[in-house]
Amino acid sequence: MADTDTTTSGTGPATSGTATSGGRAADGRGRRAVRVGVSAALTAAVVLAVLVVPLLFPLDRQAVDLAAKLQPPSLTHPFGTDEVGRDLLLRCVYGLRVSLLVGVVAALAATVIGTAVGALAGALGGWADRAVMRVVDLFSSVPHLLLGIFIVAMFRPGVWPVIISVALTHWLSTARIVRAEVLSLRSRPYIDAAVSGGASRWRVTVRHLLPGVLPQAGLAAVLMVPHAIWHESALSFLGLGLPAHEASLGIMVNAARGSLLAGDWWPTLFPGVFIIVPTLAIAGLAGAWRERINPRRRSELML
Amino acid sequence: MLELRDITAGYEPRTPVVRGVSLTVAAGEAVGLLGPSGCGKSTLARVAALLHRPDGGTVTLDGETVTGWRHRAPRRQRTAYGVLFQQPRLSADPRLRLGELIAEPLRAGGRRAEIADRVGELAPVVGLTDELLRRRPHEVSDGQLQRACLARALVLRPRWLICDEMTAMLDASTTAALVAVVESYRRESGAGLLAVGHDRTLLARWCDRTVRWADLTGAPAARAEAPADR
């Protein structure tokens, strides 16, 4: 199908209905619009689902139905049932709710920490900047997951330890981005003018520097959401995240590993899809935002 | 009296841009500093405005030896200067409306009560209408933005004005208007002026005396130059 499409558009663009008649630029713009549209629709659907479904279909976490265990997808159970007969679609939505909550809260917390640290380093400059950035290097030399496991292990299992763990391991890239932006803004003449106008360090930072880095910090926060979702799933998969009875995508994938070996593909596939699809949707939106605010590519701002 | 003595300044410790330069501006005097681009005259102007810490030399401001630059300078010393830069685009915070831009030094000094009066007084002087004051920097031309920057420099009634190639991006009529505003402010307040530029004719007409960069660095004794001398 793809082959025939390319040959027809190559030989005669006017005859093929699907090929765009514009040039390469128009084609790219169209593709970008489609990407943004699809990403926005998916994100909206995901957010709507996790907000509305729990109101309509409450989930009894203890209820098991062993007679209906491991049923393949059907009309009554569109995603099938898991190894103790619970409906996978409902559990996926609940798991996604936890993941999104953890993702958004942890990303916000990480961005706030990172922005504060980065702005501090960039605004002070000199040895304070060097000292702060060495601490950032120290933190980033420890693998994220290892540090996250260490932090989670200090608390009782629950949502908040996971959020703290993700926030404390993910502020580093934001701090680097914000520091670099602050350093580049700091040498602008309008900062000189503010200094000459009698503005204090604090005022220069809060009034002139931070508003200038907010678009980058916001983008970093959005890109952090998928990272945090993955991190939560990884911790839950390892049994370190949420309590085992909670519906969490990582816990569901972990519990379904055994049945995957027996050939039952649906209990692992659907939670996996629920991890990947919101990730890609949010990353697609963030990519469009990045192209808007910063045409030159920055490796820190890619997923 | 603004006195720069044996100033050595630069951005790399090994290679100073300005080496052992001395320059004196008497109270109420207008001094033009002429020089080719990249010679370090802007750096010297930044040192004089307490915006760049020199590696060596002393700056004396109205009889006081300056001990700190940028934020380390007392607010009283920093606000004694009104500074104007070459590129209005870069010297205006892109998020502030022109009215807020002009009021910013008053706000930073905790004198909000005076904002309405002072901005209302300065805007017609520099030639900005109320409608322009409500626009943001990207919605106005370079000349209009430089007018706002001039108003911002004058809003605290500084005793010294440092104009770092203030008119390099502007057309002749805007240049004339801005120079006229600066001159009328100086007549009224008796402020001193250090104008940096490479437009020999403009500086010769504008300033009491012009100094060539080559004379400052080559033979420090021969500082002054008659304005008519080409």
Side-chain angles (χ1 to χ4, degrees):
Chain A
M1 188 60 200
D3 278 342
T4 54
D5 260 353
T6 47
T7 46
T8 48
S9 66
T11 49
T15 55
S16 100
T18 52
T20 49
S21 51
R24 188 175 287 270
D27 194 32
R29 211 175 306 134
R31 214 177 289 149
R32 202 174 304 148
V34 167
R35 198 179 70 195
V36 171
V38 170
S39 303
L42 278 175
T43 311
V46 163
V47 170
L48 207 64
V50 301
L51 288 180
V52 170
V53 167
L55 296 178
L56 302 180
F57 307 98
L59 175 69
D60 186 353
R61 292 182 174 76
Q62 262 83 39
V64 293
D65 183 7
L66 288 172
K69 70 169 191 167
L70 288 176
Q71 285 182 354
S74 64
L75 274 182
T76 45
H77 300 294
F79 284 5
T81 59
D82 67 1
E83 69 284 348
V84 286
R86 294 174 294 199
D87 181 54
L88 265 174
L89 176 59
L90 199 54
R91 278 180 72 79
C92 275
V93 172
Y94 271 83
L96 189 60
R97 190 160 92 121
V98 172
S99 290
L100 269 188
L101 174 75
V102 170
V104 170
V105 176
L108 278 181
T111 308
V112 169
I113 300 175
T115 307
V117 171
L120 182 82
L124 288 179
W127 64 265
D129 174 32
R130 282 194 289 275
V132 169
M133 291 326 281
R134 287 304 80 74
V135 172
V136 169
D137 286 346
L138 189 72
F139 263 89
S140 46
S141 65
V142 184
H144 276 177
L145 196 56
L146 202 60
L147 189 59
I149 288 171
F150 178 75
I151 295 169
V152 161
M154 296 196 299
F155 300 94
R156 293 175 65 177
V159 173
W160 287 104
V162 175
I163 290 176
I164 293 171
S165 149
V166 175
L168 287 184
T169 47
H170 282 71
W171 56 273
L172 304 156
S173 58
T174 315
R176 287 216 178 91
I177 295 165
V178 169
R179 171 182 170 267
E181 286 295 325
V182 165
L183 281 183
S184 88
L185 289 180
R186 220 163 67 113
S187 59
R188 301 270 169 93
Y190 73 79
I191 302 300
D192 283 349
V195 171
S196 181
S200 61
R201 260 180 232 277
W202 171 253
R203 188 170 175 85
V204 167
T205 308
V206 173
R207 177 89 168 156
H208 300 291
L209 293 177
L210 276 183
V213 300
L214 276 188
Q216 270 81 14
L219 174 55
V222 174
L223 273 175
M224 200 65 77
V225 172
H227 269 289
I229 291 176
W230 282 6
H231 211 84
E232 185 273 329
S233 302
L235 283 174
S236 296
F237 179 80
L238 293 174
L240 292 160
L242 303 176
H245 65 273
E246 287 276 350
S248 158
L249 296 173
I251 291 173
M252 289 163 72
V253 173
N254 187 27
R257 272 185 314 156
S259 41
L260 179 66
L261 293 179
D264 303 328
W265 46 269
W266 56 94
T268 40
L269 176 75
F270 289 115
V273 168
F274 266 57
I275 296 175
I276 291 169
V277 167
T279 300
L280 289 181
I282 295 172
L285 284 182
W289 185 355
R290 183 186 58 226
E291 272 162 28
R292 236 187 106 91
I293 68 167
N294 195 353
R296 67 183 193 280
R297 298 207 150 213
R298 290 190 72 129
S299 56
E300 303 100 314
L301 290 179
M302 310 246 268
L303 186 67
Chain B
M1 186 86 136
L2 172 63
E3 205 176 351
L4 308 168
R5 192 174 298 148
D6 287 333
I7 297 295
T8 300
Y11 303 92
E12 303 279 322
R14 296 280 164 77
T15 52
V17 188
V18 179
R19 233 184 257 265
V21 172
S22 298
L23 179 70
T24 306
V25 186
E29 189 187 20
V31 173
L33 181 57
L34 269 173
S37 83
C39 69
K41 54 189 193 306
S42 288
T43 307
L44 189 67
R46 279 165 54 83
V47 171
L50 311 188
L51 290 173
H52 184 78
R53 190 168 60 80
D55 300 324
T58 54
V59 175
T60 312
L61 172 67
D62 299 322
E64 256 181 300
T65 306
V66 173
T67 52
W69 272 262
R70 294 188 76 88
H71 291 294
R72 297 205 177 154
R75 175 176 285 161
R76 172 178 55 77
Q77 280 185 354
R78 278 188 265 155
T79 52
Y81 293 95
V83 188
L84 275 157
F85 300 98
Q86 178 176 3
Q87 290 156 315
R89 272 309 140 209
L90 297 180
S91 37
D93 190 325
R95 272 164 292 293
L96 301 184
R97 298 174 193 282
L98 295 199
E100 297 166 324
L101 186 79
I102 298 171
E104 189 57 27
L106 286 173
R107 214 178 275 261
R111 292 158 61 183
R112 279 157 197 265
E114 301 168 39
I115 287 177
D117 285 351
R118 198 73 183 109
V119 174
E121 184 184 324
L122 273 170
V125 172
V126 297
L128 290 175
T129 60
D130 280 354
E131 192 265 324
L132 282 172
L133 289 181
R134 281 193 299 273
R135 294 209 209 163
R136 292 182 197 278
H138 65 269
E139 297 163 333
V140 301
S141 73
D142 271 7
Q144 287 161 336
L145 200 51
Q146 190 68 307
R147 285 168 193 266
C149 289
L150 176 59
R152 175 180 62 183
L154 297 181
V155 77
L156 292 178
R157 298 197 175 86
R159 295 196 304 280
W160 298 96
L161 281 169
I162 310 280
C163 299
D164 183 3
E165 306 208 27
M166 172 181 97
T167 58
M169 309 279 279
L170 308 177
D171 61 39
S173 68
T174 314
T175 301
L178 289 187
V179 168
V181 172
V182 169
E183 281 311 294
S184 79
Y185 172 74
R186 286 186 53 237
R187 266 199 308 281
E188 168 207 318
S189 67
L193 167 74
L194 176 62
V196 173
H198 46 237
D199 185 344
R200 180 179 292 267
T201 326
L202 174 74
L203 287 186
R205 285 185 178 207
W206 183 4
C207 301
D208 301 330
R209 66 186 172 101
T210 48
V211 177
R212 277 193 315 203
W213 184 257
D215 295 337
L216 282 182
T217 47
R223 282 209 292 268
E225 182 188 0
D229 185 16
R230 298 286 163 94

